[in-house]
Amino acid sequence: MVGKKLILMLIGIAMVITVTSCQMAYEISLQGSWEVDEYYKNGVEDTQSFNLAFGDYVIKFHPDGDFTETFKAMNLLPVTNPGTWVIINSGTQLQLVDENAARTFDILSITNDELRLYRELGEGGNEELVMEPKEEI
């Protein structure tokens, strides 16, 4: 009986360590500046429309949990949008909170070279962003 309890306790500890280390790895991989390489709306590639609405879009994830989005609205008006970011739901989602809204994205994948995010937009709509690291000049 004691052996079973010990095994179950060790399995539980291993699961917590695995989830925590995965979440920490995502947080480290996410830090830095990212730009949109491809954009899909409702499963259809629509990068050109995204780039028109959010020209030169870049999001920078700071190690302290803050982020800064910069872009040119309609490719004209400079916009800077600060907020906070956090990895939630056992490392499966990214939540961005700014003064206007909270956005939650499913993390489809994250590597040093690519970040894929997906979110429901309501009324059956969705969007997927394929991002790559922004090269610092």
Side-chain angles (χ1 to χ4, degrees):
M1 190 69 159
V2 173
K4 260 187 171 179
K5 286 183 181 180
L6 180 61
I7 290 173
L8 289 174
M9 184 174 75
L10 291 174
I11 290 172
I13 290 171
M15 289 175 63
V16 168
I17 290 171
T18 300
V19 167
T20 302
S21 64
C22 179
Q23 188 164 330
M24 287 174 54
Y26 275 6
E27 289 174 0
I28 292 168
S29 295
L30 195 59
Q31 293 174 23
S33 297
W34 296 85
E35 59 188 351
V36 174
D37 184 43
E38 299 171 30
Y39 176 81
Y40 298 86
K41 187 164 185 180
N42 301 322
V44 177
E45 193 273 333
D46 200 14
T47 307
Q48 187 174 1
S49 294
F50 180 89
N51 288 336
L52 177 62
F54 303 98
D56 300 327
Y57 178 89
V58 174
I59 186 166
K60 183 170 186 174
F61 295 99
H62 305 279
D64 63 1
D66 289 340
F67 74 84
T68 307
E69 288 176 297
T70 56
F71 58 92
K72 292 180 185 165
M74 301 308 292
N75 261 331
L76 296 172
L77 180 67
V79 176
T80 299
N81 185 40
T84 59
W85 66 272
V86 65
I87 304 286
I88 60 172
N89 294 329
S90 302
T92 62
Q93 293 184 311
L94 169 65
Q95 186 174 61
L96 304 177
V97 179
D98 58 46
E99 65 180 32
N100 299 312
R103 295 169 280 166
T104 302
F105 294 87
D106 293 337
I107 301 171
L108 300 179
S109 66
I110 183 169
T111 66
N112 291 335
D113 300 320
E114 183 180 85
L115 171 63
R116 295 180 81 94
L117 301 174
Y118 172 90
R119 76 173 175 151
E120 298 289 329
L121 297 173
E123 298 183 18
N126 61 69
E127 67 180 354
E128 181 178 343
L129 294 99
V130 179
M131 306 179 84
E132 59 185 20
K134 169 81 172 154
E135 292 187 25
E136 301 296 327
I137 299 174

